[in-house]
């Protein structure tokens, strides 16, 4: 058996995060796989040390719109196969929101789920993207594959997952229909492994507003996740968040799996 350490991190602009220590964090933490969201850059806009760091193969899926969205995968273990996008819907693929990587023991869905928008106009799009990811993953499970879904889901599932739930009931990220989709995902057998290890424990967040003092006072939201399909549940060694890691308004989240070989 061997352990594999996977991280997910919304870097809120990889160029900015790199100036705040991303390359140093990567070399210090040495994860096996890192899924990044909100990269907001093409590979050609990145320094060589960020585009192709020692010990990693990198795969980028930028949005068509410059400076917007975008996901990336840094992997020390070359996947058997990899798809940029993969939902067969140009509405989703053009925004650079998903990479699907085949690691043999499991399929990794590394996603940046949409924000519903301050005026809530993007909530339908967000829910459509979310459901497309779920249905794609379910087809793979029916074919016998274990699935890990990770990334910035842009939704706090329950009141315990944000500091001010009552004040945010009408805001995207905590709308009833958004929370209901996370409940639906879990109902299909995708385990919120971090919450399972910290039941009833508040103050565990992964995103904080950029307003002054908010992060210091830990007024945050838990919107970054690893969901593990039931087929892999006995392989989970640990799930962690790393709020001490700076460089973005999000912090990294981590999943440790025990695999064959």
């Amino acid at each position: 058996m061997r352990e594999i350490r996977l991280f997910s991190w919304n870097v809120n602009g990889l160029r900015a995060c790199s100036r705040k220590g991303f390359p140093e964090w990567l070399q210090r933490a040495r994860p096996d796989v890192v899924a990044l969201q909100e990269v907001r850059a093409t590979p050609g806009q990145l320094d060589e040390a960020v585009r192709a760091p020692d010990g990693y193969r990198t795969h980028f899926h930028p949005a068509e719109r410059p400076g917007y969205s975008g996901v990336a995968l840094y992997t020390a273990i070359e996947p058997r196969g990899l798809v940029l996008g993969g939902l067969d819907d140009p509405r989703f693929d053009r925004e650079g929101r998903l990479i699907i990587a085949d690691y043999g023991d499991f399929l990794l869905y590394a996603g940046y789920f949409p924000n519903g928008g301050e005026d809530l106009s993007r909530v339908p799009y967000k829910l459509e993207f979310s459901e497309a990811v779920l249905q794609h993953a379910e087809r793979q499970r029916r074919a016998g594959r274990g699935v890990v879904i990770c990334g910035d889901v842009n939704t706090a599932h329950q009141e315990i997952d944000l500091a001010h739930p009552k004040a945010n009931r009408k805001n995207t990220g905590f709308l009833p229909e958004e929370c209901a989709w996370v409940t639906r995902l879990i109902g299909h057998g995708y385990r919120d492994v971090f919450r399972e290890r910290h039941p009833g424990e508040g103050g565990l967040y992964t995103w904080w507003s950029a307003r002054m003092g908010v992060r210091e006072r830990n007024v945050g939201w838990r919107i970054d996740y690893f969901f593990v399909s039931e087929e892999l549940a006995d392989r989970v060694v640990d799930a962690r968040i790393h709020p001490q890691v700076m460089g973005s308004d999000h912090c990294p989240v981590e999943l440790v799996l025990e695999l064959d070989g």
Side-chain angles (χ1 to χ4, degrees):
M1 304 292 284
R2 62 187 175 89
E3 288 188 359
I4 178 173
R5 295 172 61 233
L6 302 100
F7 279 72
S8 174
W9 192 5
N10 180 320
V11 291
N12 191 19
L14 184 52
R15 286 171 289 182
C17 190
S18 295
R19 293 191 294 270
K20 299 173 184 176
F22 171 77
E24 293 78 11
W25 171 83
L26 184 66
Q27 295 304 320
R28 184 172 63 251
R30 299 305 299 177
D32 296 297
V33 179
V34 186
L36 302 181
Q37 301 92 47
E38 209 170 351
V39 172
R40 301 209 313 251
T42 64
Q45 294 174 310
L46 301 170
D47 294 339
E48 179 69 17
V50 179
R51 182 173 62 250
D54 290 342
Y56 290 92
R57 293 285 299 275
T58 58
H59 305 273
F60 292 87
H61 182 32
E64 290 181 2
R65 173 181 161 189
Y68 177 73
S69 187
V71 291
L73 195 70
Y74 285 56
T75 181
I77 306 166
E78 189 62 17
R80 297 180 180 181
L82 185 141
V83 178
L84 305 178
L87 297 179
D88 298 322
D89 188 328
R91 293 180 305 147
F92 305 138
D93 292 343
R94 70 168 63 101
E95 291 200 359
R97 293 197 174 274
L98 185 67
I99 294 177
I100 305 172
D102 184 351
Y103 284 99
D105 293 280
F106 64 95
L107 288 171
L108 177 66
Y109 285 68
Y112 178 35
F113 290 67
N115 185 295
E118 290 187 10
D119 62 356
L120 308 186
S121 62
R122 295 261 291 174
V123 171
Y125 175 87
K126 174 182 182 176
L127 295 175
E128 290 168 10
F129 172 86
S130 302
E131 189 63 20
V133 171
L134 172 58
Q135 293 305 319
H136 193 287
E138 284 295 272
R139 288 193 293 273
Q140 296 302 315
R141 288 180 73 196
R142 289 193 290 271
R145 303 302 306 273
V147 170
V148 174
I149 298 174
C150 77
D152 177 1
V153 177
N154 255 315
T155 300
H157 182 214
Q158 298 175 321
E159 289 193 356
I160 196 173
D161 294 314
L162 71 166
H164 297 308
K166 290 181 174 58
N168 285 287
R169 272 296 179 191
K170 296 183 179 180
N171 294 329
T172 186
F174 200 54
L175 295 173
E177 58 267 41
E178 295 170 318
C179 300
W181 182 82
V182 180
T183 299
R184 173 173 165 76
L185 179 70
I186 293 171
H188 274 75
Y190 295 86
R191 310 272 288 270
D192 180 357
V193 289
F194 179 82
R195 179 52 69 198
E196 289 183 2
R197 281 159 175 73
H198 300 272
E201 187 175 349
L204 302 173
Y205 306 131
T206 65
W207 174 79
W208 302 263
S209 165
R211 292 194 301 271
M212 186 175 296
V214 168
R215 188 162 184 170
E216 289 76 9
R217 291 183 284 116
N218 196 30
V219 181
W221 301 50
R222 188 174 73 97
I223 59 176
D224 302 86
Y225 299 84
F226 274 99
F227 293 103
V228 175
S229 67
E230 290 177 342
E231 299 85 357
L232 297 170
D234 61 350
R235 303 295 188 96
V236 176
V237 176
D238 204 358
R240 309 170 183 132
I241 64 174
H242 295 275
Q244 77 283 359
V245 177
M246 308 302 285
S248 169
D249 53 354
H250 294 248
C251 75
V253 297
E254 179 184 5
L255 173 69
V256 184
L257 293 177
E258 189 175 60
L259 304 178
D260 296 328

